[in-house]
Amino acid sequence: MSALLPPTFPPRADPAWNEAHERVESYLRAHRIAQPITLSELTNEIIARAWQDKSADPALAPVTRALREADNTITAWFTRALEQHGAHSRRLGVRGRLALALADAPGRWPDAFLAPTPPPRELSETMRAAFLRAGPAPQLYKMPAPTIPLGRMTRLLGTCWEITRRWAVINILVRLLFLAAFVALVFLALQ
Amino acid sequence: MNPTDAIPPGRKLLRRLILAATVVALALPGILLMADLQLRTGFDIWKAAHLALFSLLLSLTAYGCAQAILGFLVRRGRGDPLRLRPVDSTEPLPPGATAIVMPVYNEDARRVFSGLRTIYESLQATGHLDAFHIYILSDSTDPNRWIDEEAAWAALVREFDAASRVFYRRRRLNTNKKAGNLADFCRRWGGAYRYMVVLDADSLMSGDTIVQLVRLMERHPRAGLVQTAPRLIRGRTPFARWQQFASRLYGPVFQAGINYWQLDESNYWGHNAIVRLAPFLEHCSLPELPGREPFGGRILSHDYVEAALLVRAGWGVWLAAELEGSYEECPGTLIDFAKRDRRWLQGNLQHSWLLAAQGLHSVSRLHLLLGILAYAASPLWLLFLLLSTLLLYRHVATGLTLVPRDSLFAALDLGFRSQAALLFAGTLALLFLPKLLALLDLFLRRGAQAFGGWRRVLCGSLLETACSALLAPVLMLFHSKFILWTLLGRGVAWVAQRRGGDGSPDWREAILTHAGHTALAGLWGAAALTLDPVFFIWLLPVLAGPLLSIPLSLVTAQPPEDDSTPWPLATPEEIAPPAVAATLASHLAAMESKIPPAQFAADYGLLQAVLDPYVNAIHVSLLREKRNHSTEERDRFTQLREKLIGAGPSALSTRDKLALLMDAHSMIRLHRDLWSRPGSELAEWWRHAIRQYNYLAPAPVTALDR
């Protein structure tokens, strides 16, 4: 193991933990953490914690352990930023990511996300106020049924049309009739 | 005079009588000349049919020409005193009383939301933003479009802090298409608003124009709907620019003519219009037509019918022809234009059921009839030409020399050929007089400079006329086929489009689509040449377009390499773009680099919704979480998720992808599982997709990142 890394860090040559490191880094980058130093520090911290976690099932792949740790870290930060202690972690994750996106946290507070210091008040407030909705509360309105009397002739034509479409035999007969009329017309025209 | 106060019925009647008299005055001489020509060479049933078709087609041409004449006259002096004029007011608008709705269906989200962003900014600049709520009403079924729409909406809301002003609603089932989409909005939220401004996905309106529409409705309480006359913009291909030049140059004269006789019984074109919601909700529920689609069933072209229902209920429907700042786009290619016509044609043909409906105003019936004839004229024209060929054949087959009798119009002292030439010249005059009047109108209004000067106007006009002459017969053949197929209850199959990366047209599509046109024109031309070379020359202008349809279709679909010189066919909006068009162009240009990586393009929506933490959160937060899935459902979703993770998106059908995208639980699980599983358990596609978030890769591209 390299002397530069703390003793609590996984073996440097372990491909599974290297994959975990790369995945965590990509996951954090997907959250638009752009500064290399922040990204690197956060990734290393998460990997170290995942490696040290004695409660984790040893059969779990390092990627899975590391991403769980990343998820826990992110959820803990959301709990603080949104002040939603005790909220269901799965929904909190979605709520937190939505709030981060709508608050434009990566753009406006690039250093705040996952920082050890408490989230800035303005960021917290903006995140808590961030929401999306498909529309205001519906005021359901029942449009009156249409009343356009189509007329007796139109109704009759409609019935004939429907019968022609529905009954294959009649449909074929009508088509044959039209075809015969067309052929007769052409025959007469060419006389 | 206040136009929406009751216009004396006598005045309306007088205007309509003037229109009718003009049509008769223009068409009757031609019809009589043709009847005389037929009578001079012996009349029979075939000639009677020929004359009937000619009379109908000439009357339609005369109707168009009459509107241009009336429009030209009306535009002299101070214009029509009864037209709807802009309201000069600085009074505040009723807050939150107007909903701007934009139904979208699998359109390019970048264009849709750039347009909305432009409209929003323009409204903001008017200082009346508080008066409006904006709704994007999505019926999109393409997962990529759907996800792009959600992310682009979130970006818009974020940028303008507009969560309480800009809303996005997607229907799980798009029952009754666009009409159903709007009806759904009306049922949910229609009761909360006084007015509704309806936009299309490619609409663009300035804030001032929208404010003006609301003011018009406030000023004229009997107006149920005010339609603007949108100008075509942003055409790049020769085809689109031909359309926009023609509509820009000739449109104002025609619109003034339409307005002259329609007044408050005008029509609705489905978008770029404002609707008074109370009467709309009360009277405009659409009836079900007898039979099923394509000819019956639910009404597809809802706009004409809604206008007719409003007029029936005593509400005014107006065309605000002079209101500027309303724009739309048109299809860029002949084939795309035909595809759009296919939909519109089917919708208009459905209106046949309503022609005899009780209680409709006669002007509304005329709108419906003219809408049908706009397409039905094509097979009638085709039939007329075929009948002309048949009459010649019948004559040639006799082997006799034509000896015409004396004309009934002996005073004219015309020989048989001179009379035929006069008839031809008269028909051409009816076709070209509107264009000449539009040019004269431009001259009298000193408007040529806006088009770049007279040289450009005249060259453009000649080119436009040539394009019209060549492409009109091709459209005739398209429409004739569509009508036949609709009557047979069949859909029209289109070749799947494979455009080049630069938007260049698809050769294969053009060849397969137009091969029939070319073959028909070739055979017809050969037959005409065999019968009589003179007849062939007469027929040649009609056959030239279909004969050359493949190269024409390709050439007119080719976007230019350099957009900087809008010449020829330049419109004022190209030479001096209006503020909203310029803003839209800059928004779109800013997003040009935001193109998804080619290898993921086919499933980029799914990729973002699953992998991107923010897009995933936006998407999941808009889904309704179903808590009580049955065991079968849970198993099915588990199988689909595992298949997606292990085999990649190509292993799933679009339906399966949509099912997953609509299930909140699956979307959360997929996000977690894809990120936390070792690469060995993921499909190669996902391994590559995750790599694009790697620190060394360029920044991720989503509609959220503008």
Side-chain angles (χ1 to χ4, degrees), chain B residues 534-614:
Chain B
V534 177
F535 179 67
F536 172 74
I537 292 168
W538 281 72
L539 205 58
L540 200 55
V542 178
L543 297 182
L547 264 176
L548 300 170
S549 54
I550 294 171
L552 269 176
S553 188
L554 287 166
V555 168
T556 56
Q558 184 72 50
E561 285 176 13
D562 176 15
D563 283 324
S564 59
T565 318
W567 155 259
L569 300 172
T571 61
E573 284 71 28
E574 284 176 316
I575 292 169
V580 280
T583 311
L584 172 63
S586 74
H587 286 326
L588 284 168
M591 283 196 292
E592 245 169 32
S593 59
K594 312 269 185 191
I595 296 169
Q599 72 267 38
F600 303 120
D603 288 294
Y604 203 64
L606 183 67
L607 183 154
Q608 292 176 79
V610 170
L611 279 186
D612 194 283
Y614 297 134

Side-chain angles (χ1 to χ4, degrees), chain B residues 149-298:
Chain B
E149 285 166 12
E150 288 181 345
W153 168 57
L156 189 71
V157 164
R158 180 177 70 187
E159 185 176 344
F160 295 107
D161 191 16
S164 303
R165 189 174 310 287
V166 183
F167 306 109
Y168 172 89
R169 185 280 277 126
R170 178 182 171 273
R171 289 197 298 170
R172 289 170 81 92
L173 294 172
N174 50 11
T175 313
N176 205 12
K177 300 176 181 168
K178 187 181 167 189
N181 195 359
L182 282 169
D184 180 77
F185 166 81
C186 287
R187 280 192 295 270
R188 284 172 191 269
W189 294 294
Y193 297 99
R194 204 183 293 179
Y195 309 119
M196 167 172 78
V197 175
V198 185
L199 300 176
D200 240 4
D202 62 1
S203 292
L204 185 66
M205 285 180 92
S206 74
D208 286 331
T209 309
I210 295 172
V211 168
Q212 190 53 238
L213 283 174
V214 178
R215 289 204 190 287
L216 281 170
M217 294 302 256
E218 291 278 294
R219 174 68 62 88
H220 306 301
R222 291 303 299 166
L225 189 150
V226 177
Q227 171 69 58
T228 65
R231 288 177 180 163
L232 297 177
I233 54 167
R234 289 180 35 76
R236 289 187 69 232
T237 60
F239 182 86
R241 300 194 59 241
W242 160 53
Q243 292 283 316
Q244 70 187 25
F245 178 83
S247 107
R248 185 66 176 87
L249 182 61
Y250 311 133
V253 168
F254 278 105
Q255 285 149 15
I258 287 171
N259 236 353
Y260 174 77
W261 68 272
Q262 293 184 354
L263 294 168
D264 60 346
E265 281 141 9
S266 189
N267 211 348
Y268 174 33
W269 302 342
H271 56 89
N272 291 44
I274 188 166
V275 175
R276 191 181 297 277
L277 270 164
F280 189 83
L281 294 174
E282 193 178 344
H283 301 291
C284 292
S285 189
L286 295 173
E288 187 115 348
L289 299 173
R292 282 172 296 173
E293 281 192 38
F295 200 48
R298 289 180 166 145

Side-chain angles (χ1 to χ4, degrees), chain A residues 19 23 27 29 31-32 36 64 90-91 97 101-102 134 136 139 141 144 146-147 149 154 162 175 189, chain B residues 135 158 187-189 285 291 312 358 394 488 612-614 616 625 665 671 675-677 679 693-695 705:
Chain A
E19 186 193 9
R23 188 69 64 81
Y27 191 54
R29 172 97 195 292
H31 285 80
R32 315 297 193 265
T64 311
R90 199 182 63 161
R91 296 307 296 188
R97 282 186 269 133
L102 293 180
Q139 299 186 7
Y141 183 90
T147 51
T154 311
E162 191 52 19
R175 284 178 191 223
Chain B
Y135 287 81
R158 180 177 70 187
R187 280 192 295 270
R188 284 172 191 269
W189 294 294
S285 189
R312 183 180 75 153
Q358 291 162 22
R394 285 172 64 84
L488 291 173
D612 194 283
Y614 297 134
N616 176 266
E625 195 163 8
H665 176 70
H671 179 72
W675 278 109
S676 62
R677 285 197 191 179
Y693 291 96
N694 190 284
Y695 173 66
D705 305 288

Side-chain angles (χ1 to χ4, degrees), chain B residues 372-453:
Chain B
I372 296 165
L373 283 174
Y375 296 105
S378 285
L380 295 178
W381 183 24
L382 180 63
L383 207 57
F384 171 76
L385 293 170
L386 287 171
L387 215 46
S388 301
T389 314
L390 177 75
L391 289 178
L392 179 72
Y393 168 80
R394 285 172 64 84
H395 166 67
V396 170
T398 61
L400 300 172
T401 308
L402 195 67
V403 185
R405 287 201 294 260
D406 287 343
S407 167
L408 293 174
F409 306 108
L412 290 177
D413 193 21
L414 286 172
F416 186 77
R417 283 190 183 278
S418 308
Q419 189 171 336
L422 179 66
L423 181 60
F424 182 63
T427 310
L428 286 184
L430 287 187
L431 285 169
F432 290 107
L433 185 61
K435 294 179 194 262
L436 291 174
L437 287 173
L439 288 171
L440 187 58
D441 182 78
L442 195 72
F443 173 73
L444 294 172
R445 289 177 165 253
R446 301 179 197 284
Q449 205 51 43
F451 283 84

